[in-house]
Amino acid sequence: MSENTPYDLLGVGIGPFNLSLAALADGVPGLNALFLDAKPAFSWHPGLLMEGTTLQVPFLADLVTMADPTSPWSYLNYLRSHERMFPFFFSERFLIPRREYDHYCRWVAERLPSCRFDARVDAVAWDESADAFAVTYARADGTTTRVLARQVVLGVGTDPVVPEPLRPLLTDAHRGRVLHSADYRTHRAALAAADDVTVIGAGQSGAEVVLDLIRHQDGEGLGGPFTRWLARTPAFAPMEYSKIGLEHFTPDYIRYFRHLPEDRREHMVREQWQLYKGVSADTLGAIHDELYERTIGGGRPRADLHPGVELTAVHEDGDGYLLTCRHAPQEREFTFRTSAIVAATGYAATRPAFLDTLADLVDWDPKGRYRVDGHYRVGLDPRVGGSLYVQNAEMHTHGVGAPDLTLGAWRAATILNAVCGRTVLPVPDRAAWTTFGAPGAAAPATAPHHADPVGTLR
């Protein structure tokens, strides 16, 4: 393509969701697509790729299968390419290792010609003269490139969230002793050698860090760190994984959720924390089994589990930290000392800095979030003739399925159809047995697809 020829589609960020879009777009004749990422190569939560950890969704929730099971970029074709179909068949796995999912995604990313790494996007602006978005990106060697695109998809992922009392301690002076779980694997050995480690957060990441630390204790429970697990939630609760409960991760639920009043949507997301913040029953069971083993012969596990607790203050105390916490149900404060703190407190979508050049043309909601339609298109000023889409930054408009891999391929197909202005990949009208909402109450019609601005993809 020449320098002044706009791409039909440009993706910023190459995580699983934009990689899914890149894989599905690869089979569309005449679609010129480019995907950019600042990293030197694909990586997915490297700080939590411990041995024995698995995805929380079945392997069918790969990059493409739920939208196009005939795609060459499926997980099963990955196995076939690596001559591992028979071992996988005999293993009878439904939930695959996280390390393998990461390797599968890298296999796809390295083979898709549209994916370009070592490409940090610095600015996205609207170029009226070109009737296209101008995207500027830089490489590690300092060279910069400007390209044009008629439609842009943001897939920059989410950033780690850290409780306010811990934020002043996220400095080099406390490196390896106060950290987010995203960096756990990097500091795993040092934490395993500490006297006392406190893990904050009741989700899957927190449970996996706790389990890993307990397993570093010896059989008598004497060696390894004393492990303390704190959580604001009223219980260390399992993820909702019933067959009917999982129907919250369907297009049906998204359509229902989108047309609820904003205050009702926000209340429901908070109430539904077990749908996306719970822990797999297997992980909770493994923690219990490890603790039980350490009671044999009259011992006591070197671990404490505290639900219903909020961290309110942290102070340095010699080579450790003094934590002040509040037990919400009892309305009581207590303090304790620890050597290290791991905040397994999740992730949240943030506005990327490269959007500053476009910010005045985005229709932000009163809380500074994207307004997102049924095709994942962001509201823009009418002067912008192109379309901006977003992936995994729309929980406030689309519900708890936004960060879930189950809906990744379906959402990518929905965006791809909108980008092309026609149905490239059919998406189901009905996928759940559950009727969300009052019987017979039809949801308002969603906005039609924008026509393809080039006109060559119809």
Side-chain angles (χ1 to χ4, degrees), residues 152-154 250-251 254-255 258 371-379 387-394 397-398 401-402 407 410-412 414-415 418:
V152 172
V153 183
L154 304 180
T250 59
I254 291 174
R255 283 194 296 269
R258 282 193 59 247
R371 296 188 191 273
V372 187
D373 74 7
H375 303 297
Y376 297 90
R377 188 184 294 109
V378 174
S387 293
L388 179 70
Y389 300 85
V390 69
Q391 302 216 60
N392 193 16
E394 73 285 353
T397 57
H398 286 61
L407 284 163
W410 173 85
R411 177 173 53 198
T414 300
I415 293 173

Side-chain angles (χ1 to χ4, degrees), residues 99-270:
R99 292 172 59 243
E100 185 174 42
Y101 179 77
D102 175 72
H103 189 259
Y104 154 65
C105 288
R106 279 189 281 128
W107 174 77
V108 175
E110 289 167 1
R111 285 158 180 78
L112 282 175
S114 61
C115 291
R116 189 173 300 173
F117 291 90
D118 181 24
R120 186 191 72 243
V121 171
D122 292 329
V124 176
W126 178 248
D127 186 331
E128 292 188 17
S129 63
D131 194 30
F133 293 99
V135 179
T136 304
Y137 66 91
R139 294 190 174 277
D141 62 8
T143 59
T144 61
T145 304
R146 182 181 185 269
V147 294
L148 299 174
R150 301 196 185 278
Q151 306 188 73
V152 172
V153 183
L154 304 180
V156 295
T158 51
D159 293 330
V161 173
V162 175
E164 192 280 329
L166 291 179
R167 293 172 196 166
L169 300 176
L170 295 178
T171 64
D172 288 342
H174 304 276
R175 181 176 172 80
R177 294 184 295 144
V178 179
L179 61 143
H180 191 272
S181 57
D183 298 319
Y184 175 72
R185 194 175 178 209
T186 302
H187 304 286
R188 183 184 185 189
L191 291 167
D195 295 329
D196 185 299
V197 178
T198 297
V199 181
I200 302 171
Q204 184 68 22
S205 298
E208 289 174 355
V209 170
V210 167
L211 178 60
D212 190 63
L213 290 170
I214 292 173
R215 282 176 170 168
H216 276 88
Q217 298 174 4
D218 63 27
E220 301 297 324
L222 299 176
F226 184 96
T227 303
R228 189 180 292 99
W229 192 12
L230 308 181
R232 290 189 302 175
T233 54
F236 297 105
M239 182 82 76
E240 169 58 67
Y241 208 73
S242 67
K243 294 177 181 179
I244 296 298
L246 289 177
E247 291 192 343
H248 286 84
F249 302 97
T250 59
D252 308 61
Y253 183 75
I254 291 174
R255 283 194 296 269
Y256 157 73
F257 184 88
R258 282 193 59 247
H259 297 289
L260 294 173
E262 181 179 335
D263 59 345
R264 173 53 49 182
R265 293 199 305 261
E266 295 189 356
H267 174 77
M268 288 175 66
V269 167
R270 290 193 299 269

